[in-house]
Amino acid sequence: MPSDAPFPDEHNHAICMSQALGNAAKLCLQRGVRLTPLRLQVLELVWRSHKPLGAYTILENLQTAQGRRAAPPTVYRALDFLLAQGLIHRIASLNAFIGCLHPEATHVGQFLICEHCGNAIELDTPEITNCIMQRAEILGFVVKSQTIEISGRCAHCQARYAS
Amino acid sequence: MPSDAPFPDEHNHAICMSQALGNAAKLCLQRGVRLTPLRLQVLELVWRSHKPLGAYTILENLQTAQGRRAAPPTVYRALDFLLAQGLIHRIASLNAFIGCLHPEATHVGQFLICEHCGNAIELDTPEITNCIMQRAEILGFVVKSQTIEISGRCAHCQARYAS
DNA sequence: TTAAAAAAGTTATAATATAACATAATCAGT
DNA sequence: ACTGATTATGTTATATTATAACTTTTTTAA
């Protein structure tokens, strides 16, 4: 079974997560938008690991104040907010959501997704974007958004669990 | 309203489509797999345009022999076959399917998807793949499959319908 | 010709996502 | 603080996409 540690051992996820949450709070303040308790809770759930999380998984783990179980729109609206603020990304190939590493700037999401441990590694590789933009430009295509999701096996799993 | 012509005027889609269908028949024969009437019908529906088509849209347009309406698994099984043979691609960001331009060789699907006319242009740009592979290799990530879907506005629509 | 395999039919249901409207909380201007 | 406007959340119902499980039909190969 793959370790639950999202990334190699040097990765301290508690720090990783608290930085992300702190950053999110700061950005929302700067932007004058409200990171309400519900939205924060969803963001925390998404940040619990580096594995993209489905909306219904989030729903199941949501603690509503009254102990009453939240309904889907509650989660989807929070996710919509977080997406709009660039605090999370949606992984189309998995119908799932993951915390964004660079929410301060709008950018395209590029992911390496390990089929074995489920972790998604966010890339920030301008070369890939440039290469795509170049090709698009030749064809006169104006790029608005990019979905780049690469599946395979991460170094961690490749080393530990030879296929 | 955007023209229904999938691509610029020089594109004769009747020829485009019949080539694709002929090629598909040839490949299936070579591979010893059966392009049954049902599978062919689904492939034809997918090839009617260059707009990715949802499974339920295909379902609605399926003519069953008895006039009885087909059920979802019928379509999904045909789609699974066509995907396995590389005759179509699935567009994850649209939950939809589109005919493959190069079914003779397994390859990654790269698409420019016009938000205006709905057409998806399949790229075959090794530079993009190489760029991604390079970056992945640096991280020790072994790539198994790639989802590359670029949304925006195609040259056709850009020229005719200034945003 | 007949058993095995493959394909298609059929029924039910799972998983993901949104529409529409009701209620509650927050904010801006007084 | 008060009040109307705005924003956020609750709630119910339903749309959309996809698959599981089992049956029947068709095709293949001995």
Side-chain angles (χ1 to χ4, degrees):
Chain A
M1 196 173 88
S3 134
D4 256 332
F7 283 170
D9 307 327
E10 68 262 29
H11 175 95
N12 181 331
H13 190 59
I15 292 177
C16 173
M17 182 173 170
S18 77
Q19 281 182 349
L21 295 175
N23 197 19
K26 195 190 73 185
L27 285 171
C28 287
L29 199 61
Q30 281 176 6
R31 294 170 184 171
V33 296
R34 301 201 302 131
L35 188 58
T36 62
L38 176 66
R39 290 165 175 175
L40 177 58
Q41 208 190 332
V42 170
L43 188 61
E44 282 169 353
L45 287 170
V46 166
W47 267 106
R48 284 222 282 221
S49 80
H50 290 273
K51 306 184 203 309
L53 218 57
Y56 280 74
T57 304
I58 293 168
L59 193 54
E60 284 165 12
N61 289 283
L62 212 51
Q63 316 265 21
T64 54
Q66 291 77 13
R68 197 133 163 27
R69 176 78 167 286
T74 297
V75 162
Y76 280 102
R77 278 187 297 226
L79 289 170
D80 285 346
F81 169 85
L82 297 170
L83 284 169
Q85 295 303 320
L87 298 170
I88 61 172
H89 290 284
R90 182 170 190 276
I91 307 292
S93 58
L94 299 176
N95 297 326
F97 303 85
I98 189 169
C100 173
L101 294 181
H102 310 292
E104 49 282 343
T106 53
H107 61 104
V108 310
Q110 305 170 339
F111 294 93
L112 302 181
I113 304 163
C114 181
E115 290 171 349
H116 192 257
C117 66
N119 286 324
I121 301 162
E122 181 170 356
L123 298 182
D124 190 15
T125 307
E127 287 81 10
I128 297 175
T129 308
N130 291 343
C131 195
I132 289 169
M133 296 296 281
Q134 243 174 53
R135 186 78 188 98
E137 195 164 1
I138 290 169
L139 297 169
F141 189 97
V142 179
V143 172
K144 298 268 177 68
S145 76
Q146 304 186 16
T147 299
I148 301 174
E149 297 168 9
I150 313 304
S151 284
R153 190 171 278 232
C154 72
H156 207 217
C157 290
Q158 187 65 23
R160 277 171 187 63
Y161 317 94
S163 70
Chain B
M1 197 172 86
S3 135
D4 255 336
F7 283 169
D9 307 329
E10 68 261 29
H11 174 97
N12 181 330
H13 190 62
I15 291 177
C16 173
M17 181 173 171
S18 76
Q19 281 182 350
L21 294 175
N23 197 18
K26 195 190 71 185
L27 285 171
C28 287
L29 199 61
Q30 280 176 6
R31 295 172 184 168
V33 297
R34 302 201 303 131
L35 188 59
T36 62
L38 176 65
R39 291 165 174 174
L40 177 58
Q41 208 191 331
V42 170
L43 187 61
E44 282 169 354
L45 287 170
V46 166
W47 267 106
R48 283 221 283 222
S49 79
H50 289 273
K51 305 183 203 311
L53 219 56
Y56 280 74
T57 305
I58 293 168
L59 193 54
E60 283 166 13
N61 290 282
L62 259 188
Q63 317 264 21
T64 54
Q66 292 77 12
R68 196 132 163 30
R69 175 77 166 285
T74 297
V75 163
Y76 279 101
R77 278 188 295 229
L79 290 170
D80 285 345
F81 169 86
L82 297 171
L83 284 169
Q85 295 303 320
L87 297 170
I88 60 173
H89 289 285
R90 181 170 190 276
I91 307 292
S93 58
L94 299 175
N95 296 325
F97 303 85
I98 188 168
C100 173
L101 294 180
H102 310 293
E104 49 283 343
T106 52
H107 61 103
V108 309
Q110 305 170 338
F111 294 93
L112 302 180
I113 305 164
C114 181
E115 290 171 348
H116 193 257
C117 66
N119 286 324
I121 302 162
E122 180 170 357
L123 298 183
D124 189 15
T125 308
E127 287 81 9
I128 296 174
T129 307
N130 291 343
C131 195
I132 288 169
M133 297 295 281
Q134 244 175 53
R135 186 79 187 97
E137 195 164 0
I138 290 170
L139 297 170
F141 189 97
V142 179
V143 172
K144 298 269 178 66
S145 77
Q146 304 186 13
T147 300
I148 301 174
E149 298 169 10
I150 313 303
S151 284
R153 191 170 279 232
C154 73
H156 207 217
C157 290
Q158 186 66 22
R160 277 170 186 64
Y161 317 95
S163 70

